[in-house]
Amino acid sequence: MLCDPVTLEIIRGAARAAQAEMEALLERTAMSAFIREKKDFYTALFDAEGAMAVGSDLPIFGDIVAPVARHFPLETMREGDLYWYNDCYGSHGAVSHSNDQVFLAPAFHGGRRIGFVMGWAHFSDIGGLRPGSISSDATDHFQEGIIIPPVRLARDGVIAEDMLRIFWRNSRFPAQSQGDTRALMAAVRLGEKRLAEIAARFGADVLADGFVQLLARTERTIREKMRACFPPGTTRFADAIDSDGQGNGPFTMRLALTRTPDDRFLFDASETDDQAPGPVNLLMHPDVPGMALGLYFLQGEQGQVLNAGAPRAIDSITLREGSLLAPRAPAPLGLRGVTMMRLLAALHGLVAVARKGEAPAAHAAYVIIALRGQHGDKPFLMSDGIGVGYGARPFADGTDAVYFVAQENYPAEFMELTYPVRLRRYGINRDSGGAGRYRGGCGVVREYEIMCERAMLSVRIDSVVNPTWGVAGGLNGGSGRALVNPGTERERLLKPLSDGTILTRGDVLRIETGGGGGWGHPFDRPPEAVLADVAGGFISAAAAARDYGVVIAAGAVDAAASAASRADRPPHALFHRGRYRDAVA
């Protein structure tokens, strides 16, 4: 080994710091709210051959460098080069919907290529059928905005501005797009500089060996954890998304993980339903299952990083072309987040089956609304991603009000200063978390009053027909919904996956998001914890009695009544969705 254990940890920490600094620069200099406020971005560092060595804990990406290398061989790259793409089908799912822009640059030291750095961010509007470029009405990928195949945006540091002008011209908000592009390029250039500094400090050979060790350590750790989790033979799990927004569905994902006698791991999703006419298809890169399972198995492992070693722990990936997880072009992909979030929960379902319930319950798919219109003499686009509840774990309650990973809900003050809305209510969606020994996380309630003359609304909510499952005795989580003018004679319930609803000045939009499933039998939750949840607004007194068997009177637990209620303990099975069952779908 050229890189000793102490140096390895210093390199790991330095690479992590560089990656975090890139993200901080991007967050602070981008113009669009979805990057700056929502933090919908990602950075990573790669070795000289293009394997991701250090990145954020975001398990939805594939091989980022390979799509570029297919058109621009690595040996032809030079210092100052910058590459760019958002082509989902052309990258084989390395990026999975067109709003996500990938900027990639090789890093050099002493004339030698030492690695790559990548910045990725969601651009709010890149053209397409509707403002925001994402709509449940889309019927093909070309309706979801401009498609950029892997191109060389800069050679020897000179940027091809004409390419950018074409891109910006396709946006309804070109100034915002320009600002985001500049921020993303600046973050990548910063990463180049930091990676070169690490190589200058330790030497290119030591850095290369350090990255090799980090990759091998991740693969080795995950393989060991998978051997401890999955018995020999095949473990199966299936789950479904509700619809595609165009009257079709549900669509079921069927997953199988086989451990062979010689400890090879084979992942098979070929029995998944056919692709959808609507835009919920997920063009899943073969690296994604390994990245997602890797994130689960690395939790609590100090010093480990999620990198390309994770997908190497799975020896074979089988998908079926034309299915929901491997659609044929030009199937629309814009709302692939619904399927992605259900897939990540289904991978936890595989673990739950293998470990007989010792795994997290299901989480809801984050909710997105888009409000588009004209206010004064300017167009506006408010894309608001709204948090949901995450599944309870075998050791703790689920997390409340989470959008996705580290991404955040918009603050009320920001929304009211930026868009023609007034936020009338923002709080926890009571009783949305699945009951259990550990409670599922709760979703949120947001109410917007429309302050412009007319606006068009798009809504994306899943887990209504198929709510998040509970595990090991825990109950399923609650569902979300979208209401206009709630509590009035003009109240109407919107379709959970829809576009084109017209709202006018004074209308009130109420969004309720779903919660995560519970873990463990609800009657095993300490009465004091149930009482605290009632006091905190997470569950109602009625739900405490109905689901937990805890009777609360005058702000205190009625011990005798609760003991009598809990004496009639209902039996349970491994999963719960509407009723206890041994399998979800």
Side-chain angles (χ1 to χ4, degrees), residues 59-96:
I60 60 172
F61 292 98
D63 187 341
I64 293 291
V65 177
V68 172
R70 281 194 290 271
H71 297 273
F72 304 94
L74 301 186
E75 62 273 13
T76 67
M77 295 180 176
R78 302 203 296 249
E79 189 169 359
D81 285 358
L82 180 64
Y83 301 88
W84 171 31
Y85 66 89
N86 74 343
D87 189 344
C88 303
Y89 287 101
S91 68
H92 304 292
V95 59
S96 53

mmCIF file of all heavy atoms in Angstrom, residues 59-96:
data_model
loop_
_atom_site.group_PDB
_atom_site.id
_atom_site.type_symbol
_atom_site.label_atom_id
_atom_site.label_comp_id
_atom_site.label_asym_id
_atom_site.label_seq_id
_atom_site.Cartn_x
_atom_site.Cartn_y
_atom_site.Cartn_z
ATOM 1 N N PRO A 59 -28.510 8.145 -2.950
ATOM 2 C CA PRO A 59 -28.322 6.870 -3.666
ATOM 3 C C PRO A 59 -29.146 6.718 -4.939
ATOM 4 O O PRO A 59 -29.734 5.672 -5.189
ATOM 5 C CB PRO A 59 -28.785 5.870 -2.610
ATOM 6 C CG PRO A 59 -29.895 6.574 -1.900
ATOM 7 C CD PRO A 59 -29.490 8.031 -1.869
ATOM 8 N N ILE A 60 -29.199 7.744 -5.786
ATOM 9 C CA ILE A 60 -30.079 7.642 -6.951
ATOM 10 C C ILE A 60 -29.324 7.825 -8.263
ATOM 11 O O ILE A 60 -29.932 7.973 -9.312
ATOM 12 C CB ILE A 60 -31.221 8.677 -6.871
ATOM 13 C CG1 ILE A 60 -30.670 10.100 -6.811
ATOM 14 C CG2 ILE A 60 -32.122 8.386 -5.690
ATOM 15 C CD1 ILE A 60 -31.736 11.175 -6.924
ATOM 16 N N PHE A 61 -28.006 7.809 -8.197
ATOM 17 C CA PHE A 61 -27.220 8.067 -9.390
ATOM 18 C C PHE A 61 -26.478 6.828 -9.846
ATOM 19 O O PHE A 61 -26.177 5.926 -9.072
ATOM 20 C CB PHE A 61 -26.213 9.190 -9.133
ATOM 21 C CG PHE A 61 -26.864 10.520 -8.925
ATOM 22 C CD1 PHE A 61 -27.072 11.000 -7.650
ATOM 23 C CD2 PHE A 61 -27.308 11.257 -9.994
ATOM 24 C CE1 PHE A 61 -27.694 12.214 -7.445
ATOM 25 C CE2 PHE A 61 -27.929 12.479 -9.803
ATOM 26 C CZ PHE A 61 -28.120 12.961 -8.534
ATOM 27 N N GLY A 62 -26.134 6.852 -11.132
ATOM 28 C CA GLY A 62 -25.309 5.792 -11.686
ATOM 29 C C GLY A 62 -23.913 6.300 -11.977
ATOM 30 O O GLY A 62 -23.422 7.229 -11.337
ATOM 31 N N ASP A 63 -23.275 5.709 -12.971
ATOM 32 C CA ASP A 63 -21.917 6.047 -13.364
ATOM 33 C C ASP A 63 -21.947 7.377 -14.116
ATOM 34 O O ASP A 63 -22.368 7.455 -15.266
ATOM 35 C CB ASP A 63 -21.363 4.916 -14.245
ATOM 36 C CG ASP A 63 -19.899 5.087 -14.568
ATOM 37 O OD1 ASP A 63 -19.384 6.216 -14.438
ATOM 38 O OD2 ASP A 63 -19.268 4.095 -14.967
ATOM 39 N N ILE A 64 -21.479 8.439 -13.483
ATOM 40 C CA ILE A 64 -21.570 9.783 -14.039
ATOM 41 C C ILE A 64 -20.551 10.005 -15.156
ATOM 42 O O ILE A 64 -20.811 10.711 -16.135
ATOM 43 C CB ILE A 64 -21.365 10.831 -12.924
ATOM 44 C CG1 ILE A 64 -22.534 10.781 -11.923
ATOM 45 C CG2 ILE A 64 -21.198 12.223 -13.500
ATOM 46 C CD1 ILE A 64 -23.845 11.258 -12.472
ATOM 47 N N VAL A 65 -19.355 9.417 -15.039
ATOM 48 C CA VAL A 65 -18.268 9.700 -15.979
ATOM 49 C C VAL A 65 -18.430 8.923 -17.283
ATOM 50 O O VAL A 65 -18.105 9.426 -18.361
ATOM 51 C CB VAL A 65 -16.906 9.398 -15.331
ATOM 52 C CG1 VAL A 65 -15.766 9.615 -16.316
ATOM 53 C CG2 VAL A 65 -16.705 10.277 -14.100
ATOM 54 N N ALA A 66 -18.961 7.705 -17.225
ATOM 55 C CA ALA A 66 -19.026 6.845 -18.410
ATOM 56 C C ALA A 66 -19.746 7.488 -19.598
ATOM 57 O O ALA A 66 -19.282 7.351 -20.742
ATOM 58 C CB ALA A 66 -19.671 5.506 -18.054
ATOM 59 N N PRO A 67 -20.879 8.181 -19.416
ATOM 60 C CA PRO A 67 -21.525 8.800 -20.586
ATOM 61 C C PRO A 67 -20.629 9.788 -21.321
ATOM 62 O O PRO A 67 -20.698 9.901 -22.546
ATOM 63 C CB PRO A 67 -22.743 9.497 -19.972
ATOM 64 C CG PRO A 67 -23.031 8.753 -18.721
ATOM 65 C CD PRO A 67 -21.692 8.365 -18.190
ATOM 66 N N VAL A 68 -19.785 10.508 -20.569
ATOM 67 C CA VAL A 68 -18.852 11.432 -21.208
ATOM 68 C C VAL A 68 -17.723 10.668 -21.889
ATOM 69 O O VAL A 68 -17.345 10.956 -23.027
ATOM 70 C CB VAL A 68 -18.291 12.418 -20.159
ATOM 71 C CG1 VAL A 68 -17.168 13.266 -20.761
ATOM 72 C CG2 VAL A 68 -19.403 13.320 -19.618
ATOM 73 N N ALA A 69 -17.193 9.661 -21.199
ATOM 74 C CA ALA A 69 -16.058 8.909 -21.727
ATOM 75 C C ALA A 69 -16.401 8.162 -23.012
ATOM 76 O O ALA A 69 -15.512 7.904 -23.834
ATOM 77 C CB ALA A 69 -15.545 7.933 -20.674
ATOM 78 N N ARG A 70 -17.672 7.819 -23.201
ATOM 79 C CA ARG A 70 -18.057 7.143 -24.442
ATOM 80 C C ARG A 70 -17.869 8.041 -25.661
ATOM 81 O O ARG A 70 -17.649 7.560 -26.777
ATOM 82 C CB ARG A 70 -19.519 6.672 -24.357
ATOM 83 C CG ARG A 70 -19.703 5.393 -23.547
ATOM 84 C CD ARG A 70 -21.074 4.797 -23.774
ATOM 85 N NE ARG A 70 -22.132 5.582 -23.180
ATOM 86 C CZ ARG A 70 -22.578 5.420 -21.931
ATOM 87 N NH1 ARG A 70 -22.029 4.492 -21.158
ATOM 88 N NH2 ARG A 70 -23.555 6.168 -21.454
ATOM 89 N N HIS A 71 -17.950 9.347 -25.460
ATOM 90 C CA HIS A 71 -17.804 10.295 -26.569
ATOM 91 C C HIS A 71 -16.441 10.990 -26.559
ATOM 92 O O HIS A 71 -15.950 11.421 -27.614
ATOM 93 C CB HIS A 71 -18.905 11.349 -26.496
ATOM 94 C CG HIS A 71 -20.287 10.801 -26.645
ATOM 95 N ND1 HIS A 71 -20.887 10.619 -27.874
ATOM 96 C CD2 HIS A 71 -21.192 10.361 -25.723
ATOM 97 C CE1 HIS A 71 -22.097 10.101 -27.712
ATOM 98 N NE2 HIS A 71 -22.309 9.943 -26.415
ATOM 99 N N PHE A 72 -15.849 11.110 -25.377
ATOM 100 C CA PHE A 72 -14.572 11.803 -25.230
ATOM 101 C C PHE A 72 -13.634 10.901 -24.422
ATOM 102 O O PHE A 72 -13.670 10.930 -23.184
ATOM 103 C CB PHE A 72 -14.775 13.148 -24.522
ATOM 104 C CG PHE A 72 -15.767 14.053 -25.203
ATOM 105 C CD1 PHE A 72 -17.107 14.058 -24.805
ATOM 106 C CD2 PHE A 72 -15.383 14.879 -26.235
ATOM 107 C CE1 PHE A 72 -18.028 14.887 -25.419
ATOM 108 C CE2 PHE A 72 -16.302 15.715 -26.860
ATOM 109 C CZ PHE A 72 -17.627 15.719 -26.459
ATOM 110 N N PRO A 73 -12.819 10.093 -25.074
ATOM 111 C CA PRO A 73 -11.947 9.160 -24.344
ATOM 112 C C PRO A 73 -11.118 9.873 -23.280
ATOM 113 O O PRO A 73 -10.664 11.020 -23.474
ATOM 114 C CB PRO A 73 -11.064 8.577 -25.455
ATOM 115 C CG PRO A 73 -11.901 8.696 -26.693
ATOM 116 C CD PRO A 73 -12.674 9.972 -26.530
ATOM 117 N N LEU A 74 -10.924 9.206 -22.166
ATOM 118 C CA LEU A 74 -10.242 9.829 -21.035
ATOM 119 C C LEU A 74 -8.868 10.362 -21.409
ATOM 120 O O LEU A 74 -8.447 11.423 -20.939
ATOM 121 C CB LEU A 74 -10.120 8.826 -19.879
ATOM 122 C CG LEU A 74 -11.422 8.234 -19.316
ATOM 123 C CD1 LEU A 74 -11.126 7.391 -18.082
ATOM 124 C CD2 LEU A 74 -12.435 9.322 -18.985
ATOM 125 N N GLU A 75 -8.143 9.625 -22.257
ATOM 126 C CA GLU A 75 -6.776 10.033 -22.592
ATOM 127 C C GLU A 75 -6.722 11.296 -23.442
ATOM 128 O O GLU A 75 -5.648 11.915 -23.589
ATOM 129 C CB GLU A 75 -6.046 8.898 -23.306
ATOM 130 C CG GLU A 75 -6.655 8.465 -24.636
ATOM 131 C CD GLU A 75 -7.731 7.413 -24.497
ATOM 132 O OE1 GLU A 75 -8.197 7.171 -23.356
ATOM 133 O OE2 GLU A 75 -8.101 6.814 -25.524
ATOM 134 N N THR A 76 -7.869 11.703 -23.995
ATOM 135 C CA THR A 76 -7.889 12.927 -24.812
ATOM 136 C C THR A 76 -8.232 14.163 -23.993
ATOM 137 O O THR A 76 -8.178 15.285 -24.521
ATOM 138 C CB THR A 76 -8.909 12.802 -25.954
ATOM 139 O OG1 THR A 76 -10.245 12.759 -25.407
ATOM 140 C CG2 THR A 76 -8.660 11.551 -26.778
ATOM 141 N N MET A 77 -8.570 13.981 -22.737
ATOM 142 C CA MET A 77 -8.998 15.110 -21.911
ATOM 143 C C MET A 77 -7.796 15.935 -21.464
ATOM 144 O O MET A 77 -6.703 15.417 -21.256
ATOM 145 C CB MET A 77 -9.782 14.607 -20.698
ATOM 146 C CG MET A 77 -11.081 13.928 -21.078
ATOM 147 S SD MET A 77 -11.986 13.342 -19.615
ATOM 148 C CE MET A 77 -13.483 12.721 -20.374
ATOM 149 N N ARG A 78 -8.040 17.238 -21.293
ATOM 150 C CA ARG A 78 -6.966 18.154 -20.909
ATOM 151 C C ARG A 78 -7.426 19.029 -19.741
ATOM 152 O O ARG A 78 -8.619 19.197 -19.484
ATOM 153 C CB ARG A 78 -6.560 19.033 -22.095
ATOM 154 C CG ARG A 78 -6.102 18.248 -23.312
ATOM 155 C CD ARG A 78 -5.205 19.061 -24.216
ATOM 156 N NE ARG A 78 -5.846 20.212 -24.828
ATOM 157 C CZ ARG A 78 -6.117 20.312 -26.135
ATOM 158 N NH1 ARG A 78 -5.835 19.296 -26.953
ATOM 159 N NH2 ARG A 78 -6.673 21.404 -26.616
ATOM 160 N N GLU A 79 -6.443 19.593 -19.073
ATOM 161 C CA GLU A 79 -6.729 20.502 -17.974
ATOM 162 C C GLU A 79 -7.539 21.689 -18.494
ATOM 163 O O GLU A 79 -7.246 22.245 -19.553
ATOM 164 C CB GLU A 79 -5.423 20.989 -17.348
ATOM 165 C CG GLU A 79 -5.615 21.761 -16.061
ATOM 166 C CD GLU A 79 -4.318 22.006 -15.313
ATOM 167 O OE1 GLU A 79 -3.259 21.539 -15.806
ATOM 168 O OE2 GLU A 79 -4.361 22.638 -14.247
ATOM 169 N N GLY A 80 -8.580 22.051 -17.772
ATOM 170 C CA GLY A 80 -9.460 23.137 -18.186
ATOM 171 C C GLY A 80 -10.684 22.678 -18.938
ATOM 172 O O GLY A 80 -11.575 23.486 -19.225
ATOM 173 N N ASP A 81 -10.760 21.372 -19.266
ATOM 174 C CA ASP A 81 -11.954 20.853 -19.933
ATOM 175 C C ASP A 81 -13.144 20.860 -18.964
ATOM 176 O O ASP A 81 -12.985 20.726 -17.741
ATOM 177 C CB ASP A 81 -11.733 19.422 -20.423
ATOM 178 C CG ASP A 81 -10.857 19.358 -21.672
ATOM 179 O OD1 ASP A 81 -10.458 20.421 -22.164
ATOM 180 O OD2 ASP A 81 -10.576 18.237 -22.123
ATOM 181 N N LEU A 82 -14.333 20.992 -19.548
ATOM 182 C CA LEU A 82 -15.572 20.912 -18.771
ATOM 183 C C LEU A 82 -16.623 20.235 -19.645
ATOM 184 O O LEU A 82 -16.815 20.628 -20.805
ATOM 185 C CB LEU A 82 -16.047 22.312 -18.362
ATOM 186 C CG LEU A 82 -17.345 22.392 -17.537
ATOM 187 C CD1 LEU A 82 -17.161 21.699 -16.190
ATOM 188 C CD2 LEU A 82 -17.772 23.841 -17.344
ATOM 189 N N TYR A 83 -17.288 19.235 -19.093
ATOM 190 C CA TYR A 83 -18.268 18.450 -19.837
ATOM 191 C C TYR A 83 -19.635 18.612 -19.187
ATOM 192 O O TYR A 83 -19.748 18.871 -17.989
ATOM 193 C CB TYR A 83 -17.836 16.981 -19.892
ATOM 194 C CG TYR A 83 -16.492 16.803 -20.556
ATOM 195 C CD1 TYR A 83 -15.319 16.872 -19.808
ATOM 196 C CD2 TYR A 83 -16.395 16.599 -21.927
ATOM 197 C CE1 TYR A 83 -14.078 16.748 -20.418
ATOM 198 C CE2 TYR A 83 -15.159 16.471 -22.545
ATOM 199 C CZ TYR A 83 -14.000 16.545 -21.788
ATOM 200 O OH TYR A 83 -12.788 16.424 -22.396
ATOM 201 N N TRP A 84 -20.673 18.398 -20.007
ATOM 202 C CA TRP A 84 -22.035 18.742 -19.572
ATOM 203 C C TRP A 84 -23.024 17.796 -20.235
ATOM 204 O O TRP A 84 -22.874 17.446 -21.407
ATOM 205 C CB TRP A 84 -22.306 20.181 -19.986
ATOM 206 C CG TRP A 84 -23.703 20.700 -19.839
ATOM 207 C CD1 TRP A 84 -24.643 20.349 -18.911
ATOM 208 C CD2 TRP A 84 -24.305 21.719 -20.657
ATOM 209 N NE1 TRP A 84 -25.791 21.077 -19.100
ATOM 210 C CE2 TRP A 84 -25.605 21.927 -20.160
ATOM 211 C CE3 TRP A 84 -23.857 22.460 -21.737
ATOM 212 C CZ2 TRP A 84 -26.477 22.852 -20.727
ATOM 213 C CZ3 TRP A 84 -24.728 23.391 -22.306
ATOM 214 C CH2 TRP A 84 -26.014 23.590 -21.796
ATOM 215 N N TYR A 85 -24.050 17.379 -19.484
ATOM 216 C CA TYR A 85 -25.171 16.658 -20.086
ATOM 217 C C TYR A 85 -26.354 16.628 -19.122
ATOM 218 O O TYR A 85 -26.205 16.829 -17.911
ATOM 219 C CB TYR A 85 -24.787 15.228 -20.500
ATOM 220 C CG TYR A 85 -24.429 14.275 -19.374
ATOM 221 C CD1 TYR A 85 -25.392 13.499 -18.732
ATOM 222 C CD2 TYR A 85 -23.095 14.112 -18.970
ATOM 223 C CE1 TYR A 85 -25.058 12.605 -17.725
ATOM 224 C CE2 TYR A 85 -22.757 13.222 -17.966
ATOM 225 C CZ TYR A 85 -23.732 12.468 -17.348
ATOM 226 O OH TYR A 85 -23.389 11.588 -16.339
ATOM 227 N N ASN A 86 -27.533 16.369 -19.707
ATOM 228 C CA ASN A 86 -28.723 16.054 -18.910
ATOM 229 C C ASN A 86 -29.509 14.940 -19.585
ATOM 230 O O ASN A 86 -30.684 14.730 -19.285
ATOM 231 C CB ASN A 86 -29.605 17.295 -18.722
ATOM 232 C CG ASN A 86 -30.369 17.674 -19.991
ATOM 233 O OD1 ASN A 86 -30.035 17.242 -21.090
ATOM 234 N ND2 ASN A 86 -31.396 18.489 -19.850
ATOM 235 N N ASP A 87 -28.886 14.243 -20.525
ATOM 236 C CA ASP A 87 -29.526 13.246 -21.376
ATOM 237 C C ASP A 87 -29.773 11.953 -20.596
ATOM 238 O O ASP A 87 -28.849 11.182 -20.338
ATOM 239 C CB ASP A 87 -28.631 12.978 -22.584
ATOM 240 C CG ASP A 87 -29.298 12.128 -23.647
ATOM 241 O OD1 ASP A 87 -30.324 11.487 -23.341
ATOM 242 O OD2 ASP A 87 -28.789 12.092 -24.776
ATOM 243 N N CYS A 88 -31.024 11.730 -20.226
ATOM 244 C CA CYS A 88 -31.351 10.561 -19.411
ATOM 245 C C CYS A 88 -31.095 9.256 -20.173
ATOM 246 O O CYS A 88 -30.377 8.370 -19.689
ATOM 247 C CB CYS A 88 -32.800 10.626 -18.963
ATOM 248 S SG CYS A 88 -33.230 12.114 -18.040
ATOM 249 N N TYR A 89 -31.688 9.140 -21.346
ATOM 250 C CA TYR A 89 -31.532 7.908 -22.114
ATOM 251 C C TYR A 89 -30.105 7.761 -22.626
ATOM 252 O O TYR A 89 -29.548 6.658 -22.643
ATOM 253 C CB TYR A 89 -32.534 7.860 -23.266
ATOM 254 C CG TYR A 89 -33.952 7.601 -22.797
ATOM 255 C CD1 TYR A 89 -34.873 8.639 -22.693
ATOM 256 C CD2 TYR A 89 -34.361 6.320 -22.435
ATOM 257 C CE1 TYR A 89 -36.167 8.408 -22.253
ATOM 258 C CE2 TYR A 89 -35.654 6.077 -21.998
ATOM 259 C CZ TYR A 89 -36.553 7.121 -21.903
ATOM 260 O OH TYR A 89 -37.835 6.883 -21.457
ATOM 261 N N GLY A 90 -29.479 8.860 -23.021
ATOM 262 C CA GLY A 90 -28.106 8.794 -23.497
ATOM 263 C C GLY A 90 -27.109 8.443 -22.414
ATOM 264 O O GLY A 90 -26.023 7.937 -22.698
ATOM 265 N N SER A 91 -27.450 8.701 -21.148
ATOM 266 C CA SER A 91 -26.556 8.361 -20.032
ATOM 267 C C SER A 91 -26.962 7.066 -19.351
ATOM 268 O O SER A 91 -26.399 6.710 -18.318
ATOM 269 C CB SER A 91 -26.557 9.492 -18.996
ATOM 270 O OG SER A 91 -27.815 9.592 -18.333
ATOM 271 N N HIS A 92 -27.965 6.366 -19.921
ATOM 272 C CA HIS A 92 -28.450 5.093 -19.366
ATOM 273 C C HIS A 92 -28.897 5.235 -17.912
ATOM 274 O O HIS A 92 -28.708 4.332 -17.100
ATOM 275 C CB HIS A 92 -27.381 4.003 -19.491
ATOM 276 C CG HIS A 92 -26.908 3.789 -20.900
ATOM 277 N ND1 HIS A 92 -27.707 3.253 -21.893
ATOM 278 C CD2 HIS A 92 -25.711 4.068 -21.493
ATOM 279 C CE1 HIS A 92 -27.023 3.207 -23.033
ATOM 280 N NE2 HIS A 92 -25.818 3.697 -22.821
ATOM 281 N N GLY A 93 -29.467 6.389 -17.603
ATOM 282 C CA GLY A 93 -30.010 6.590 -16.268
ATOM 283 C C GLY A 93 -29.038 7.164 -15.264
ATOM 284 O O GLY A 93 -29.388 7.287 -14.083
ATOM 285 N N ALA A 94 -27.818 7.543 -15.691
ATOM 286 C CA ALA A 94 -26.907 8.212 -14.754
ATOM 287 C C ALA A 94 -27.559 9.481 -14.221
ATOM 288 O O ALA A 94 -27.377 9.867 -13.067
ATOM 289 C CB ALA A 94 -25.585 8.536 -15.432
ATOM 290 N N VAL A 95 -28.331 10.165 -15.066
ATOM 291 C CA VAL A 95 -29.224 11.234 -14.644
ATOM 292 C C VAL A 95 -30.620 10.795 -15.076
ATOM 293 O O VAL A 95 -30.786 10.217 -16.146
ATOM 294 C CB VAL A 95 -28.800 12.585 -15.260
ATOM 295 C CG1 VAL A 95 -28.810 12.536 -16.769
ATOM 296 C CG2 VAL A 95 -29.680 13.715 -14.772
ATOM 297 N N SER A 96 -31.625 11.016 -14.234
ATOM 298 C CA SER A 96 -32.893 10.326 -14.467
ATOM 299 C C SER A 96 -34.076 11.223 -14.793
ATOM 300 O O SER A 96 -35.162 10.725 -15.049
ATOM 301 C CB SER A 96 -33.232 9.429 -13.270
ATOM 302 O OG SER A 96 -33.203 10.156 -12.062
#
